[in-house]
Amino acid sequence: MKILTGNDLKSGAVTWWTGVGWSLDVNDAADVGEDGAKIIAREEGAQNVFAAYVIDGVKTAEGVRPAHIKDRIRALGPTVRPDLTLKPSDPEAVNWVI
């Protein structure tokens, strides 16, 4: 599966394309197939997101998981302070990155 990630123009937060807009939760990410470049051009042109790019992802029973560790870290948040991640109450969340 191909998914889009980028950064929110106002806050800089990592965002994921849902098929209709942008979400902070990677599990909301939609498969864009071969349309990634077109969506990026439209969304960056409308200033909805910046620095967007297409990545490989895998749909698992737990949700969408970016294929590359760099993007898994972006999806979860800081690895040095688990209390600041997007899942601070989940002690197993850091294992999701590796």
Side-chain angles (χ1 to χ4, degrees):
M1 103 184 269
K2 298 287 187 183
I3 58 178
L4 296 181
T5 185
N7 296 87
D8 181 74
L9 193 59
K10 293 181 182 173
S11 69
V14 174
T15 57
W16 306 91
W17 178 250
T18 66
V20 294
W22 296 90
S23 172
L24 298 176
D25 188 347
V26 69
N27 289 314
D28 295 335
D31 187 356
V32 297
E34 301 299 318
D35 296 328
K38 288 189 268 185
I39 296 168
I40 290 170
R42 183 185 69 229
E43 292 296 306
E44 286 186 341
Q47 296 185 343
N48 293 326
V49 68
F50 72 97
Y53 58 99
V54 178
I55 65 169
D56 290 319
V58 178
K59 184 78 170 177
T60 69
E62 292 82 32
V64 177
R65 184 173 195 242
H68 194 277
I69 191 168
K70 171 190 164 261
D71 296 304
R72 290 194 300 268
I73 292 170
R74 290 186 74 219
L76 181 64
T79 58
V80 296
R81 289 275 312 271
D83 59 310
L84 297 177
T85 68
L86 295 177
K87 299 178 182 182
S89 62
D90 183 357
E92 296 298 316
V94 74
N95 295 330
W96 179 82
V97 172
I98 304 299

